[in-house]
Amino acid sequence: MDTAATFANFGHDLSYEKLPRRVVEITKKLILDELGVMVVGSSSAGIDRLLALATNWGGKPEAGVLVHGVRMPAQHAALINATMGRAYDFDALHEGSIVHASAGSLPQCLALAERRGRVSGRELITAMSLGMEFMIRLGLSFQESFLHTGRVTSVHHTTFGGALAGAKLLNLGPRAIVSALGLAYTQIGGNLQNVIEGTAVAQLQQGFAAQTSVLSAVLAEAGVQGPERVFQGEYGYYKTYHDDKYWAENLTRSLGEEFEVCDISIKYFPTCFLTHYANDAMIQMVASRKFAASDIAGINVRVTKGVSKLVGTPIEAKRAPKNTQEALFSLPYTVAVAAVHGSVTLEHLTVEAINNAQVRALAQKVTVVIDDELERKRGRALGSSMVEVKLKNGAQFSQFSDIVKGHPTNPMSFADCEDKFWNCVRSSGNPLDKNKLERLVERVRKLETVEDVSELCTSLECNVPRTKQECPGMREA
């Protein structure tokens, strides 16, 4: 049986009552986390232009763009909301599969929930956890990471997973769900070139995936048929994109009994996850060794090949990011920030922060080194890092990190996610109603009792949303 049929049947039969309590609780945390990330992304560079373009397209007002309050066709709302959700790369990630699970599911689910109407909190939790489970298992099946191929399969995963979640919300039958996945297959894309060049298209790719997911589910609902042998067909996904090299057992092992969504990391730092372990190691070292950034003569960061390739090279460019997008994917910059400030926060992604003379000077002293032992042991993982510091007085220190705050073994609590949510709201600069936001947080906490999740969207509307040019908290070069 093709994987599309397997998950169509599984998804169709899945109910809220079949979800373990742990899955429900992590999904609620992921929803609150992603809502906050979309709020801060609402004032990021380029969103104003994307919003103006989509508004000009017109169409039926099916779903809203969060914060901005503009209503448009569901696929267009998903396009913008998902792009906002990846704007600062602050969204949750499943490390083993390299999947941006919440950014790859919540925007689609909210858009289709508003389009359908009267979608309950239980339905949202079920559809979103289903979509995330599918995309993660797809990622775990691949034998070669996109960090080496350049094909951003994490965007592929979220396109498929988002389509499955959308089909679930639309109450499609198994055959129509397969069509939704087949239609999604005809539209997938994504590459690393835009990341290497430091363009905002890295975030827009997430928007494209969301738009495709919604469109695929809606087309299937309308009776449009896609291919059935989506994954194992003669020219199916695995043959076309992976030369049939994949671990089939990872797709269905303990399906319905064990849920990979429980291993999603909720990000503590607002940067590419590949920088997190080095950031954490540097912060630990500064706190324990009590040296100042001005005492540092040089910094070596030992990482795997994939980490070095994406956030460590070309080293000259990574040491001198020109804008927020480049800073997000710069290991020398984020490590220098951690050394100077003892933290890495949204405040360190403004144009003023990026041009901080002390940080930029220290970034020039950061060298990224591929560690063969780390590669052998942790090559599949995203970020385990060893940071080595040499001081001007000759003293040398090192710190290893392979578990950061937000990791499944060191998870963020709902209270931690709430703190992050409010930090995102403050950093966005948007005049949102505090009373509505407090109610929103409580509604997410008790989401299984909510009768209509559209209220989550209306709680995040403001009368005068700020754009990139107007927002003092998150200006970008």
Side-chain angles (χ1 to χ4, degrees):
M1 181 182 294
D2 192 272
T3 295
T6 298
F7 276 87
N9 291 329
F10 172 69
H12 180 260
D13 294 340
L14 185 67
S15 65
Y16 174 84
E17 289 71 24
K18 292 180 180 180
L19 294 175
R21 190 64 201 175
R22 187 183 176 200
V23 173
V24 172
E25 294 303 317
I26 184 65
T27 302
K28 290 193 293 185
K29 288 194 292 184
L30 289 167
I31 288 172
L32 180 62
D33 181 71
E34 185 61 26
L35 288 173
V37 171
M38 285 192 282
V39 168
V40 74
S42 67
S43 54
S44 63
I47 294 299
D48 54 340
R49 294 187 290 274
L50 187 58
L51 179 64
L53 181 61
T55 301
N56 190 54
W57 289 337
K60 189 176 181 180
E62 298 174 323
V65 176
L66 299 189
V67 179
H68 298 275
V70 180
R71 298 188 68 78
M72 56 186 62
Q75 67 267 26
H76 296 161
L79 165 68
I80 300 173
N81 286 334
T83 302
M84 296 191 317
R86 283 293 306 281
Y88 294 102
D89 221 66
F90 208 4
D91 57 296
L93 184 90
H94 185 276
E95 183 177 355
S97 62
I98 321 183
V99 167
H100 291 264
S102 54
S105 55
L106 184 60
Q108 295 94 315
C109 287
L110 289 180
L112 286 170
E114 286 201 277
R115 178 184 180 273
R116 196 194 98 182
R118 302 295 297 177
V119 170
S120 71
R122 291 189 172 201
E123 288 179 286
L124 175 61
I125 291 169
T126 305
M128 186 169 165
S129 61
L130 168 65
M132 292 190 297
E133 187 69 18
F134 184 37
M135 61 182 75
I136 290 169
R137 286 175 176 265
L138 284 175
L140 292 174
S141 73
F142 300 150
Q143 295 182 6
E144 189 170 17
S145 168
F146 73 78
L147 297 177
H148 302 298
T149 68
R151 296 187 299 268
V152 183
T153 48
S154 64
V155 178
H156 299 181
H157 310 158
T158 56
T159 303
F160 286 125
L164 179 59
K168 179 69 174 177
L169 279 181
L170 295 180
N171 295 316
L172 302 188
R175 194 167 182 181
I177 294 174
V178 169
S179 281
L181 295 176
L183 291 163
Y185 175 41
T186 67
Q187 303 170 76
I188 59 171
N191 61 77
L192 278 180
Q193 190 59 37
N194 53 78
V195 177
I196 298 299
E197 294 188 17
T199 74
V201 179
Q203 285 69 38
L204 189 55
Q205 283 187 138
Q206 196 69 66
F208 291 152
Q211 177 177 252
T212 296
S213 297
V214 170
L215 184 58
S216 299
V218 170
L219 285 170
E221 181 188 39
V224 179
Q225 292 188 354
E228 294 184 0
R229 299 181 62 211
V230 181
F231 294 94
Q232 279 83 25
E234 183 179 2
Y235 294 105
Y237 177 71
Y238 282 116
K239 174 65 175 178
T240 301
Y241 285 90
H242 301 281
D243 199 26
D244 269 338
K245 296 176 181 177
Y246 66 102
W247 294 302
E249 63 274 15
N250 289 354
L251 290 165
T252 56
R253 181 188 293 117
S254 301
L255 183 62
E257 299 174 5
E258 297 179 7
F259 285 79
E260 298 292 341
V261 297
C262 295
D263 288 333
I264 294 173
S265 294
I266 296 177
K267 287 188 178 181
Y268 188 70
F269 301 116
T271 57
C272 176
F273 196 78
L274 300 182
T275 70
H276 284 210
Y277 293 94
N279 297 344
D280 177 66
M282 178 57 78
I283 291 170
Q284 287 188 55
M285 203 184 313
V286 170
S288 62
R289 299 297 184 176
K290 305 299 182 183
F291 57 81
S294 57
D295 299 329
I296 297 175
I299 302 171
N300 281 346
V301 183
R302 295 188 172 276
V303 297
T304 62
K305 291 179 181 178
V307 174
S308 174
K309 186 174 184 178
L310 193 62
V311 296
T313 57
I315 190 63
E316 295 80 9
K318 296 297 183 182
R319 285 172 174 165
K322 300 186 292 295
N323 53 46
T324 298
Q325 177 62 27
E326 292 185 6
L328 291 171
F329 292 88
S330 167
L331 190 59
Y333 175 76
T334 63
V335 168
V337 167
V340 171
H341 300 290
S343 62
V344 181
T345 70
L346 288 165
E347 295 177 354
H348 302 131
L349 297 172
T350 64
V351 62
E352 293 87 355
I354 293 171
N355 288 314
N356 178 284
Q358 186 179 16
V359 171
R360 293 186 78 84
L362 187 57
Q364 294 296 320
K365 300 178 181 180
V366 176
T367 300
V368 179
V369 180
I370 295 174
D371 188 291
D372 292 336
E373 185 67 9
L374 269 182
E375 179 66 25
R376 185 179 67 81
K377 291 182 177 180
R378 304 282 290 170
R380 176 79 179 185
L382 284 186
S384 299
S385 302
M386 172 73 77
V387 176
E388 302 167 335
V389 172
K390 182 175 182 179
L391 303 184
K392 294 175 181 176
N393 64 8
Q396 298 185 44
F397 305 109
S398 64
Q399 180 70 48
F400 178 71
S401 176
D402 65 349
I403 296 177
V404 295
K405 181 70 173 178
H407 188 276
T409 60
N410 185 23
M412 289 176 65
S413 65
F414 194 91
D416 291 329
C417 292
E418 188 175 351
D419 289 341
K420 178 179 172 180
F421 173 82
W422 286 110
N423 183 36
C424 287
V425 170
R426 287 189 295 270
S427 295
S428 77
N430 282 305
L432 294 162
D433 187 305
K434 184 178 180 181
N435 292 328
K436 287 185 178 181
L437 295 181
E438 290 175 344
R439 175 177 169 79
L440 169 69
V441 172
E442 287 307 307
R443 298 303 273 168
V444 175
R445 190 192 304 273
K446 302 174 182 178
L447 188 58
E448 60 269 38
T449 68
V450 172
E451 295 182 356
D452 187 352
V453 298
S454 63
E455 67 178 88
L456 304 182
C457 304
T458 56
S459 296
L460 288 172
E461 294 179 2
C462 61
N463 293 327
V464 189
R466 294 182 177 184
T467 63
K468 163 206 165 188
Q469 290 82 358
E470 299 168 318
C471 176
M474 291 302 298
R475 289 195 302 273
E476 182 183 9

